[in-house]
């Protein structure tokens, strides 16, 4: 309707212009402009333009004082004395060109006489690609076509449809490529033929399209299916039925569906579905997107647009797979030990629902008696148990439909078997977020190794609450592993490689970082003591966030107070604990200034806080340990 109204408006404007102009721009009281052979000509044609004054409309009663000027778009193309002029014009461009005739009298004042517009165009091309469609069983027939090149002239298009029993429908529009005939084809005679043609006409000629022959089945495009819904029988994903509504004549459907996070569709074609299709391959606890398209016949007709998408999450199912469980054991005293269990989340395909909690069961290996059962929402569990018995634990994940098969492990000393100790463990940076760990097989015991486990955690010596442990498992033939989970730059990691065989294990460790730079500060000397002419220096660890990687060495510097000489130094390899070191090259009865630095592979830290110490000497030492005389600045 909006398109038809716009066309009518353009036509009205064109008619008004034709009435006002049709060769004459104004009222033309003083004279006339005539154009021959026509005001509309084909490209390359010539026209004769004449301008003449009406009686008594000149400058004076004597025509010799009249001078006429003919303008083409403000450019003078003819100037002549008298009451009339005439000229031939050629080479006009496509489109409309304005010509004005003016009278000039003494004094140079120009007076408009009359004007004309000449339109240059071409004959319409044959309309191409004519096609028709009826959207919905109750829709109307609408046709479209390609007009071809612009004619630059007022051009009318007539759409005609011939049907059974000599029935004919016709409709016109101007400068258009689409028309709705406003008629509805019904399925009573689905094989009846219809013939559509479109004819373009302007003052230079006409052209008709090739006929478009079709039947009801060929052009009717059903409306998209609606009212989509899905049912899960007994709340199970294994029995799922998609239902929808269609127009009455629909016989064939195509369905597409995919997980919402996927870009590719699964496609299903079905005939005589009658608004229902059962799915057998949907995954549990997954959000899916469904759409349906329809057509009237499997081999004919036009597919409808896709329906609005239906998005729905499938029900949960019991978890599959087993948890990957790891543990650490630490002796507290002669009778007790602390067990820390860790496990990784199941993948989405294994969890098959929201994991509500984990069930941890502690069992005595002898007899398999459950000593303790615990439920936790976390992925770790710590407990203190006696050292006098052998223990096993079982861990399973629980969702609303059930639990996974429990993972059972026997608690043993993971580093007890010396024959299984891997050799030459090393760690090297492989970018900002990766560390490559390599090792050698444990000698003659290598054939017995069933798997390697690479374990790593942030190194925070002396901290009671240690950060969580990470691990990965590797096949017995691999001698390297790239660790990337929870790896951060400028952090030192304690890395341990375990070789496991049956219920035994051997381990070896190293330290590594993915990126390093010089530490931000040096160690703080917390105590200096004198004994037998030597001193012992103790220090605090640099805070983890200031180490900027793995500390390789410490340096202790000292020099006499107020001395301008270079300080002496002692270099100490990193180890924890103890954080203490002796110095025995100091002179008695001298006050020294001491400080420390730390080194990573990238360089040395700034000096730590300086301390002063006065060495009493052997006489004082013989009477007992001398009191510290410390100052720091």
């Amino acid at each position: 309707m909006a398109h038809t109204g716009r066309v009518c408006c353009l036509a009205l404007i064109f008619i008004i212009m034709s009435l006002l102009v049709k060769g004459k721009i104004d009222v033309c009281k003083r004279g006339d402009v005539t154009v021959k052979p026509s005001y509309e000509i084909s490209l390359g044609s010539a026209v004769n333009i004449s301008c003449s004054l009406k009686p008594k409309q000149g400058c004076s009663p004597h025509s010799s004082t009249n001078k006429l000027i003919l303008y083409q778009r403000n450019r003078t193309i003819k100037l002549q004395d008298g009451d009339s002029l005439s000229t031939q014009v050629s080479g006009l461009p496509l489109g409309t060109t304005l010509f004005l005739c003016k009278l000039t009298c003494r004094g140079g004042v120009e007076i408009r006489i009359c004007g004309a517009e000449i339109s240059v165009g071409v004959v319409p091309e044959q309309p191409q690609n004519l096609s028709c469609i009826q959207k919905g069983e109750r829709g109307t027939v609408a046709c479209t076509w390609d007009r071809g090149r612009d004619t630059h002239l007022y051009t009318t298009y007539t759409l005609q449809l011939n049907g059974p029993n000599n029935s004919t429908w016709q409709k016109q529009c101007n400068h258009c490529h689409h028309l709705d005939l406003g008629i509805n084809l019904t399925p009573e005679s689905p094989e009846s033929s219809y013939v559509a043609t479109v004819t373009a006409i302007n003052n230079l000629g006409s052209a008709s399209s090739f006929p478009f022959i079709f039947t009801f089945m060929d052009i009717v495009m059903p409306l998209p299916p609606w009212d989509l819904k899905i049912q899960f029988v007994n709340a199970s994903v294994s029995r799922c039925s998609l239902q929808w509504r269609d127009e009455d004549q629909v016989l064939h459907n195509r369905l597409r569906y995919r997980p919402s996070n996927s870009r590719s569709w699964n496609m299903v074609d079905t005939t005589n579905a009658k608004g229902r299709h059962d799915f057998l391959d949907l995954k549990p606890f997954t959000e899916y997107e469904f759409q349906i398209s329809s057509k009237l016949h499997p081999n004919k007709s036009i597919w409808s647009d896709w329906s609005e998408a239906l998005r729905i999450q499938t029900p949960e199912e019991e978890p599959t797979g087993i948890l990957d469980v790891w543990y650490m054991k630490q002796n507290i005293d002669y009778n007790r030990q602390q067990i820390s269990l860790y496990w990784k989340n199941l993948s989405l395909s294994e969890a098959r629902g929201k994991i509500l909690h984990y069930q941890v069961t502690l069992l005595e290996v002898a007899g398999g008696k459950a000593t303790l059962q615990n439920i936790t929402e976390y992925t770790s569990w710590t407990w203190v148990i006696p050292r006098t018995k052998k223990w096993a634990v079982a861990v399973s994940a629980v969702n609303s439909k059930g639990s996974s098969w429990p993972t059972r492990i026997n608690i043993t000393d993971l580093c007890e078997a010396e024959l299984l100790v891997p050799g030459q463990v090393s760690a090297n940076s492989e970018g900002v977020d990766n560390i490559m760990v390599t090792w050698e097989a444990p000698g003659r015991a290598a054939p017995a190794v069933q798997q390697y486990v690479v374990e790593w955690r942030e190194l925070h010596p002396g901290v009671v609450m240690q950060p969580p442990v990470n691990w990965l498992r590797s096949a017995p033939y691999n001698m390297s592993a790239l660790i990337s989970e929870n790896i951060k730059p400028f952090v030192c990691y304690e890395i341990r490689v375990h070789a496991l065989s049956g219920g035994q294990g051997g381990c070896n460790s190293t330290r590594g970082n993915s990126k390093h730079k010089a530490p931000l500060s040096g160690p703080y000397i917390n105590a200096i003591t004198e004994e037998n002419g030597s001193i012992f220096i103790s220090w605090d660890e640099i805070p983890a966030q200031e180490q900027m990687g793995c500390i390789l060495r410490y340096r202790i510097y000292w020099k006499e107070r107020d001395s301008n000489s270079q300080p002496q130094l002692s270099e100490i390899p990193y180890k924890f604990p103890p954080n203490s070191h002796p110095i025995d090259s100091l002179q008695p009865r001298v006050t020294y200034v001491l400080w420390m630095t730390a080194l990573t592979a990238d360089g040395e830290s700034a000096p730590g806080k300086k301390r002063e110490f006065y060495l009493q000497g052997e006489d004082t030492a013989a009477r007992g340990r001398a009191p510290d005389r410390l100052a720091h600045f």
Side-chain angles (χ1 to χ4, degrees):
M1 290 295 293
H3 177 76
T4 303
R6 182 167 57 85
V7 170
C8 292
C9 181
L10 290 172
L12 180 61
I13 293 172
F14 193 91
I15 292 170
I16 293 173
M17 291 295 295
S18 297
L19 292 174
L20 289 177
V21 179
K22 199 56 179 174
K24 299 185 178 180
I25 297 302
D26 53 16
V27 182
C28 297
K29 292 181 179 180
R30 291 181 176 271
D32 295 295
V33 172
T34 58
V35 177
K36 293 181 180 180
S38 173
Y39 289 96
E40 292 184 351
I41 61 173
S42 60
L43 183 65
S45 298
V47 291
N48 292 312
I49 304 175
S50 300
C51 176
S52 60
L53 289 172
K54 293 179 180 180
K56 300 181 181 180
Q57 295 298 321
C59 298
S60 68
H62 305 288
S63 62
S64 60
T65 61
N66 298 327
K67 182 178 289 185
L68 296 177
I69 307 173
L70 183 63
Y71 288 95
Q72 178 184 340
R73 291 182 175 172
N74 300 320
R75 180 174 64 88
T76 301
I77 62 171
K78 183 74 173 182
L79 189 149
Q80 185 170 314
D81 294 332
D83 295 337
S84 64
L85 65 75
S86 181
T87 187
Q88 186 180 72
V89 178
S90 61
L92 293 177
L94 287 170
T96 300
T97 303
L98 175 63
F99 292 88
L100 283 176
C101 181
K102 293 185 179 182
L103 170 66
T104 179
C105 302
R106 292 175 181 173
V109 177
E110 294 184 354
I111 303 169
R112 182 189 292 187
I113 302 300
C114 196
E117 285 182 335
I118 299 176
S119 297
V120 178
V122 294
V123 175
E125 288 187 332
Q126 181 187 41
Q128 301 289 326
N129 303 321
L130 174 62
S131 64
C132 300
I133 192 171
Q134 177 176 304
K135 292 188 177 182
E137 295 175 6
R138 296 175 178 80
T140 56
V141 177
C143 301
T144 59
W145 58 90
D146 294 334
R147 294 183 303 185
R149 65 182 177 183
D150 189 357
T151 64
H152 296 276
L153 298 176
Y154 183 82
T155 303
T156 300
Y157 291 85
T158 301
L159 175 64
Q160 181 169 309
L161 179 63
N162 298 319
N165 304 320
N166 296 320
S167 54
T168 300
W169 299 270
Q170 194 176 87
K171 204 167 187 179
Q172 285 186 345
C173 60
N174 302 313
H175 300 282
C176 57
H177 60 87
H178 172 87
L179 261 178
D180 192 327
L181 287 169
I183 63 169
N184 169 254
L185 302 187
T186 59
E188 280 77 10
S189 301
E191 300 302 326
S192 296
S193 293
Y194 296 84
V195 181
T197 56
V198 62
T199 301
I201 303 174
N202 65 19
N203 286 340
L204 300 181
S206 64
S208 295
S209 68
F210 290 118
F212 175 59
I213 304 172
F214 60 87
T215 66
F216 172 84
M217 285 291 185
D218 293 328
I219 72 160
V220 174
M221 182 177 78
L223 296 177
W226 67 94
D227 198 16
L228 275 67
K229 57 186 177 182
I230 199 164
Q231 291 184 344
F232 298 98
V233 180
N234 297 327
S236 173
V237 72
S238 61
R239 298 187 63 187
C240 166
S241 176
L242 178 64
Q243 300 175 15
W244 67 92
R245 295 179 63 190
D246 252 327
E247 291 194 294
D248 296 338
Q249 301 297 319
V250 168
L251 290 179
H252 196 68
N253 296 100
R254 59 180 177 181
L255 296 76
R256 66 181 186 183
Y257 63 101
R258 65 182 177 185
S260 296
N261 60 358
S262 173
R263 300 184 66 179
S264 59
W265 292 94
N266 301 299
M267 304 293 295
V268 175
D269 271 51
T270 178
T271 303
N272 290 322
K274 300 186 185 303
R276 177 189 175 111
H277 181 77
D278 295 331
F279 289 95
L280 302 176
D281 61 343
L282 300 185
K283 298 177 182 178
F285 199 60
T286 303
E287 185 180 73
Y288 278 92
E289 180 180 2
F290 299 87
Q291 284 186 296
I292 309 174
S293 178
S294 306
K295 66 176 184 175
L296 302 185
H297 191 276
N299 302 318
K300 299 180 180 180
S301 185
I302 303 172
W303 283 112
S304 74
D305 293 331
W306 288 103
S307 67
E308 291 187 7
L310 171 66
R311 291 179 177 85
I312 196 165
Q313 182 167 280
T314 55
E316 295 187 2
E317 294 289 343
E318 189 176 63
T320 61
I322 59 174
L323 292 165
D324 183 359
V325 181
W326 189 240
Y327 68 96
M328 301 182 72
K329 187 176 78 163
Q330 182 178 1
N331 294 332
I332 298 176
D333 52 34
Y334 182 77
N335 294 317
R336 296 179 303 157
Q337 60 184 342
Q338 177 177 285
I339 304 300
S340 296
L341 293 177
Y342 305 92
W343 53 90
K344 296 182 179 181
N345 292 319
L346 294 174
S347 66
L348 292 177
S349 61
E350 293 173 327
R352 306 211 300 175
K354 180 182 179 181
I355 299 301
L356 302 176
H357 57 262
Y358 299 93
Q359 184 168 303
V360 182
T361 303
L362 180 66
L363 309 102
E364 292 185 37
V365 173
K369 179 182 177 182
T371 301
L372 176 69
Q373 286 190 333
N374 189 61
I375 291 176
T376 177
E377 296 179 2
Y378 302 102
T379 55
S380 62
W381 179 79
T382 300
W383 201 253
V384 176
I385 57 177
R387 294 178 58 185
T388 55
K389 297 180 181 180
K390 293 185 177 180
W391 300 94
V393 291
V395 187
S396 57
V398 181
N399 67 13
S400 65
K401 292 296 184 71
S403 62
S404 66
W405 191 260
T407 300
R408 174 172 170 148
I409 55 174
N410 293 326
I411 303 299
T412 62
D413 189 337
L414 293 170
C415 297
E416 187 176 37
E418 294 184 3
L419 290 176
L420 290 171
V421 173
Q424 296 295 323
V425 177
S426 63
N428 296 290
S429 172
E430 288 284 337
V432 178
D433 302 316
N434 300 286
I435 300 174
M436 178 61 75
V437 183
T438 59
W439 62 90
E440 294 180 357
R444 290 180 298 174
V449 175
Q450 294 173 330
Q451 67 172 318
Y452 292 102
V453 175
V454 181
E455 167 194 307
W456 67 96
R457 72 192 311 171
E458 292 184 26
L459 185 61
H460 293 301
V463 177
V464 177
M465 292 296 294
Q466 288 292 323
V469 68
N470 305 275
W471 72 96
L472 61 80
R473 300 179 186 273
S474 183
Y477 49 80
N478 286 335
M479 298 297 136
S480 65
L482 184 69
I483 60 176
S484 57
E485 183 180 0
N486 297 323
I487 296 295
K488 296 178 286 189
F490 309 116
V491 173
C492 187
Y493 292 90
E494 181 183 15
I495 301 169
R496 186 171 294 178
V497 178
H498 299 266
L500 304 181
S501 176
Q504 294 182 310
C507 72
N508 200 350
S509 64
T510 188
R511 295 177 303 131
N513 47 242
S514 65
K515 193 173 183 180
H516 50 252
K517 60 183 179 181
L520 300 181
S521 63
Y524 171 69
I525 299 175
N526 59 38
I528 304 176
T529 59
E530 178 182 352
E531 186 173 350
N532 298 326
S534 298
I535 65 172
F536 283 84
I537 296 177
S538 301
W539 61 88
D540 294 334
E541 282 284 338
I542 302 172
Q545 66 272 17
E546 297 181 9
Q547 293 183 16
M548 309 311 290
C550 292
I551 303 296
L552 302 180
R553 297 179 301 280
Y554 293 116
R555 285 177 180 170
I556 302 174
Y557 292 87
W558 68 89
K559 70 174 184 176
E560 295 181 17
R561 187 179 64 183
D562 302 327
S563 171
N564 293 324
S565 63
Q566 291 295 317
Q568 299 181 64
L569 69 88
S570 177
E571 194 164 88
I572 312 157
Y574 173 88
K575 62 179 179 178
F576 178 86
N579 286 351
S580 63
H581 187 72
I583 298 178
D584 55 9
S585 59
L586 303 185
Q587 300 297 319
R589 302 181 189 87
V590 175
T591 299
Y592 288 92
V593 178
L594 302 95
W595 65 91
M596 290 186 67
T597 63
L599 293 89
T600 65
D602 204 52
E604 185 176 12
S605 72
K609 192 169 291 186
K610 295 181 179 180
R611 303 290 299 264
E612 284 188 2
F613 182 78
Y614 178 77
L615 183 60
Q616 299 282 353
E618 295 182 358
D619 293 341
T620 304
R623 295 193 298 269
R625 179 175 292 183
D628 294 351
R629 292 181 57 196
L630 302 177
H632 57 82
F633 53 92

